[in-house]
Amino acid sequence: MSDTASRIEELRAQIRRHDHHYYVLDNPLIDDASYDRLWRELVTLEEEHPELVTLDSPTQRVGAPVSELFSPVQHLRPLFSLDNAVSDAELDAWEQKVVRMLGRPAEGYICEPKIDGLAVVLTYRDGILNVAATRGSGEVGEDITANLRTLPSVPLRLLGDAPSLLEVRGEVYLTLDGFDELNRRRREAELPTFANARNAAAGSVRQKDPTVTASRALEIWVYQAGVLEGGPSLQRHTEVLDYLQSLGLRVNPRSSSAPSLAEVKEYVKRMLDEHHRLPYQTDGVVIKVDSLADQDELGATARAPRWAVAYKFPPEERVTTLRDIRINIGRTGAATPFAVLEPVFVGGANVSMATLHNEEQVRQKDVRVGDRVVVRRAGDVIPEVVGPVLAADQERSSPWEMPSDCPFCKGPILRPEGEAVARCTRGLTCPSRLREWLFHFSSRGGMDIDGLGYKTVDMLLRDGTITGPADIFSLGREHFEDREGWREKSISNLLGGIEAARHRPLWRLLVALGIRHVGPGGARLITARYRSMDQIAAATEEDLAAIDGIGETIARSMREWMADPDNQDLIAKMGEGGVSLADPEPEEKVLPTLAGLSLVVTGGLDSMNRESIQQAIVARGGRFVSSVSGKTSALVVGASPGVSKVTKAQRLGTPVLNEDQFLALLEHGPEGILAEE
Ligand code: IVH
């Protein structure tokens, strides 16, 4: 190595060490001027020798916008959610389940602040930051490497003896000061402000231009190693945290071991009191079983690990003035009262509106316009009015009453005898109801029409381009060409989205129509039996209820919906608009060749993603489970597998399959591939 090259390496190592002490340990070793001297020397040398610049140099954090931003990243291992507890009793219940499953008490716990930020996954290969991704669906996230590189507390290169592979999870957040500062800047620039620190953090990470991310005071706490290869063998989560810290990653110093649940409860009590004083937002405490072997043994349900639980802080409450009570009309016509409030800061956000649920609740709570009221909000939960705070001799306005006319269409609002909900009676001619209906219809859970979001729906309704539910399917290029903000690309995108929606499977159409009680599960069962709208319309309530899994409620609701002439008209119009009203005949049926088998897959396969693997197994009657146990029929091992799964399978003598063997299993069934019991 030349002298220059070794000097550059030396400077980088020094700067990395100082960055680590400054940003991660919050404990600088040198003053700013000395740091600046090192920095300037490095920058000068790198400018003189561009051939020596490497991506892991501290000078290379903020790069130009890159095209890989937000492209999908398959996580090496899925990210789970956490089950919640809200009381000591629920913590007890959680521990009892742990003890029952282990057959003995766990070997201690660890408590960590639950950071209210954005979950991210960092992958280091041979110590160099390789990919940073959002949590996404838990299986697949979005590539945010260029943006996370700009966080000074995210090491571009790990310190010390780095493992060959480390996939680490953590939470990116904005400090409360950083949040205030950001909103102040936005107000000055007349930009909309963020409602809370978490939204602001999420928005900052999802920037097309990394320099924008770099300008926001984002930080990270890491709290879990998802995959670790070529590193020390660790027995406890506390050791993992120490190890992560030794690699230069930022571990929350408030994490603390608790030998028993009594100490856990004490920790929770302390945090309940102290969390308001932390410089970042937390919404609870995460409690984890400390022994990794115990964690492995406990495994996970489909949603969350059994070895961890989140104790959620109770919602925050504040008092403010109730300025008005108004109503919204939702997609089913339901009239929902909501409170217009004197803005108040509660649960980490400014609140000026809160739900009042329904008429009955307003009466029960007896809140009246002009009252001082208690407002409650937790994290991202919708704020709610709890009740009035009344002085003894207070004068009050008269009790609120549901308006008799809809504020949007002037149609009558009625509450049918015996029902809790009042509804606008004008059907989909009410513009508010139509807007909500269309929004649901085109949303992800419905027909998933790309490019047709709330704003666009609202715009098209407001200027009368759309007046009814089927009008979406008569939209053409001419309806957008002269509009401000609409370019060739956005128009094609929307029209492409509408075209795609014409060919969705029938079950999706049923869900999108918003028929009461008919969700994705029910809709799939119905369309597996009846393959067209005509057939469904011809089915009686008894026919429908005879479908396995369809109860009376769904059958009746489906029948009533079909009997309504307005709905028949709507379906006919959808058909005229080119919407497919029938499913193609089913392809060859897949046989239940994997019935009775339960399979675990670890690591990535070349030919299938996790979702298609799961589908393939379930379609053949098998079970797709997340952890290896005595009941596991086989473990399928792909690239970068979880070491603990493989060792456990070996210990239990569970058959281990590679990708080719797994594909053969799918094609031919277990004969000859899995040994007899
Ligand atoms: S552990 C398998 N630890 O909470 C469990 N999560 O509600 C993985 N979170 O998606 C999570 N602080 O984004 C863990 N100290 C902490 C956490 C934490 C915040 C978030 C995380 C997760 C969510 C679940």
Side-chain angles (χ1 to χ4, degrees):
M1 211 191 289
S2 74
D3 282 356
T4 318
S6 57
R7 178 62 186 155
I8 284 181
E9 266 318 314
E10 192 180 311
L11 287 166
R12 286 177 186 162
Q14 285 184 26
I15 290 172
R16 267 182 208 119
R17 180 153 157 268
H18 292 309
D19 280 350
H20 175 63
H21 276 267
Y22 187 92
Y23 292 109
V24 177
L25 304 179
D26 200 11
N27 180 20
L29 295 178
I30 54 171
D31 59 43
D32 290 359
S34 316
Y35 179 87
D36 280 351
R37 267 197 299 281
L38 295 172
W39 182 266
R40 255 176 292 132
E41 187 184 345
L42 177 60
V43 170
T44 312
L45 286 177
E46 286 186 346
E47 274 169 7
E48 287 166 7
H49 299 276
E51 75 283 3
L52 296 177
V53 176
T54 54
L55 258 186
D56 64 327
S57 170
T59 60
Q60 301 301 305
R61 283 192 179 273
V62 186
V66 289
S67 57
E68 299 90 74
L69 259 173
F70 310 139
S71 55
V73 174
Q74 170 95 41
H75 298 310
L76 298 176
R77 288 224 204 150
L79 276 72
F80 287 102
S81 302
L82 288 174
D83 284 334
N84 292 332
V86 294
S87 63
D88 277 6
E90 288 187 14
L91 283 181
D92 289 335
W94 172 71
E95 179 180 55
Q96 278 156 20
K97 204 148 65 185
V98 166
V99 173
R100 199 163 59 236
M101 288 206 61
L102 291 176
R104 56 171 167 78
E107 295 163 28
Y109 303 101
I110 172 155
C111 304
E112 300 169 5
K114 186 168 187 306
I115 312 299
D116 197 9
L118 180 82
V120 298
V121 184
L122 309 175
T123 308
Y124 288 87
R125 291 190 189 270
D126 295 322
I128 308 277
L129 177 63
N130 181 238
V131 184
T134 61
R135 176 185 194 281
S137 67
E139 304 273 351
V140 178
E142 287 177 321
D143 191 328
I144 49 167
T145 315
N147 287 342
L148 281 213
R149 284 176 62 88
T150 70
L151 271 61
S153 51
V154 170
L156 300 179
R157 170 198 279 267
L158 297 175
L159 299 178
D161 217 357
S164 54
L165 175 63
L166 173 68
E167 191 241 50
V168 67
R169 286 98 189 263
E171 203 85 355
V172 168
Y173 65 95
L174 203 58
T175 59
L176 293 175
D177 283 347
F179 169 62
D180 288 343
E181 168 65 17
L182 173 60
N183 267 352
R184 196 185 55 71
R185 286 200 321 241
R186 289 179 72 85
R187 260 191 299 276
E188 272 174 16
E190 296 186 356
L191 290 167
T193 53
F194 287 106
N196 58 48
R198 185 157 61 97
N199 291 358
S204 303
V205 164
R206 296 193 84 276
Q207 286 292 329
K208 287 271 159 64
D209 180 355
T211 56
V212 178
T213 309
S215 74
R216 313 252 169 109
L218 293 166
E219 297 183 355
I220 191 169
W221 294 120
V222 302
Y223 48 66
Q224 199 192 5
V227 180
L228 171 61
E229 286 171 16
S233 96
L234 304 168
Q235 262 72 56
R236 314 185 72 85
H237 183 64
T238 28
E239 292 171 17
V240 173
L241 293 182
D242 289 345
Y243 178 59
L244 295 176
Q245 168 120 16
S246 78
L247 294 173
L249 291 156
R250 195 157 176 264
V251 176
N252 196 309
R254 287 180 181 261
S255 302
S256 168
S257 321
S260 75
L261 205 65
E263 278 96 349
V264 167
K265 289 177 185 168
E266 269 169 37
Y267 181 94
V268 167
K269 208 177 285 159
R270 219 167 40 242
M271 283 298 284
L272 262 170
D273 186 44
E274 289 173 5
H275 80 104
H276 294 292
R277 293 194 285 278
L278 293 175
Y280 45 87
Q281 194 154 315
T282 53
D283 58 349
V285 171
V286 182
I287 299 126
K288 302 173 181 174
V289 165
D290 196 17
S291 150
L292 298 185
D294 285 357
Q295 289 189 3
D296 242 15
E297 188 153 346
L298 289 163
T301 63
R303 201 188 88 84
R306 296 194 190 85
W307 47 263
V309 68
Y311 184 97
K312 297 279 258 193
F313 294 142
E316 243 194 303
E317 296 188 344
R318 288 279 179 284
V319 175
T320 188
T321 303
L322 178 61
R323 282 185 180 162
D324 199 4
I325 298 177
R326 299 188 196 150
I327 59 169
N328 270 326
I329 303 294
R331 75 178 158 87
T332 63
T336 311
F338 67 94
V340 180
L341 303 163
E342 192 76 47
V344 60
F345 192 77
V346 52
N350 268 314
V351 169
S352 57
M353 282 191 277
T355 178
L356 286 163
H357 300 291
N358 59 43
E359 201 180 346
E360 192 50 41
Q361 287 235 352
V362 181
R363 194 162 313 128
Q364 266 173 18
K365 289 176 177 170
D366 190 26
V367 283
R368 307 187 193 180
V369 174
D371 284 354
R372 299 283 289 161
V373 293
V374 176
V375 177
R376 174 194 289 170
R377 180 174 180 277
D380 48 350
V381 179
I382 301 169
E384 145 185 67
V385 174
V386 183
V389 195
L390 298 175
D393 54 351
Q394 190 169 328
E395 294 226 354
R396 302 179 76 197
S397 60
S398 43
W400 181 77
E401 274 181 45
M402 179 63 80
S404 52
D405 297 337
C406 170
F408 301 95
C409 70
K410 311 288 175 246
I413 290 182
L414 293 176
R415 175 148 73 126
E417 196 75 34
E419 282 196 26
V421 180
R423 287 174 205 275
C424 167
T425 50
R426 277 278 162 85
L428 290 175
T429 56
C430 170
S432 174
R433 177 168 176 190
L434 180 59
R435 182 181 58 218
E436 300 299 321
W437 190 94
L438 283 172
F439 185 57
H440 167 80
F441 183 80
S442 57
S443 71
R444 277 234 180 127
M447 294 295 257
D448 195 9
I449 305 183
D450 209 18
L452 194 62
Y454 208 88
K455 263 213 226 137
T456 307
V457 169
D458 197 45
M459 172 189 84
L460 294 170
L461 279 171
R462 246 192 288 173
D463 65 13
T465 311
I466 287 184
T467 55
D471 289 355
I472 293 175
F473 296 102
S474 47
L475 289 174
R477 197 161 285 278
E478 66 279 12
H479 294 114
F480 297 92
E481 257 155 6
D482 293 329
R483 281 180 199 272
E484 204 185 315
W486 285 81
R487 304 234 174 94
E488 179 49 34
K489 202 170 157 214
S490 43
I491 300 175
S492 303
N493 182 43
L494 172 58
L495 295 180
I498 293 172
E499 181 54 24
R502 290 193 170 98
H503 309 290
R504 299 256 185 259
L506 192 56
W507 71 266
R508 262 187 174 279
L509 178 60
L510 285 187
V511 175
L513 289 170
I515 303 165
R516 241 174 134 186
H517 306 298
V518 180
R524 279 175 190 268
L525 292 171
I526 292 172
T527 57
R529 171 78 181 76
Y530 298 108
R531 309 200 62 81
S532 71
M533 273 295 186
D534 284 345
Q535 287 179 25
I536 298 173
T540 64
E541 194 177 315
E542 290 72 36
D543 291 339
L544 290 165
I547 300 173
D548 195 16
I550 298 292
E552 258 173 53
T553 319
I554 297 181
R556 185 171 326 122
S557 173
M558 189 72 236
R559 200 46 236 144
E560 277 171 11
W561 194 91
M562 282 292 183
D564 183 333
D566 282 349
N567 294 333
Q568 291 166 5
D569 188 46
L570 168 59
I571 293 178
K573 288 220 176 80
M574 295 249 167
E576 285 161 24
V579 179
S580 156
L581 302 178
D583 280 338
E585 282 309 307
E587 294 179 12
E588 207 183 323
K589 237 184 138 83
V590 184
L591 293 171
T593 48
L594 302 185
L597 298 186
S598 105
L599 300 173
V600 177
V601 179
T602 178
L605 302 190
D606 289 334
S607 55
M608 301 170 88
N609 65 21
R610 276 193 91 79
E611 200 180 335
S612 54
I613 295 171
Q614 175 166 13
Q615 263 173 15
I617 295 174
V618 173
R620 287 165 179 77
R623 288 187 55 208
F624 178 82
V625 285
S626 61
S627 53
V628 178
S629 74
K631 296 195 197 104
T632 307
S633 317
L635 174 69
V636 180
V637 177
S640 306
V643 179
S644 62
K645 286 205 174 83
V646 179
T647 29
K648 185 150 185 198
Q650 283 163 347
R651 202 176 64 219
L652 293 171
T654 311
V656 174
L657 306 181
N658 64 22
E659 178 160 354
D660 287 341
Q661 291 167 317
F662 174 61
L663 294 177
L665 174 71
L666 289 182
E667 195 170 345
H668 308 296
E671 264 95 280
I673 295 161
L674 294 179
E676 305 293 307
E677 294 269 308

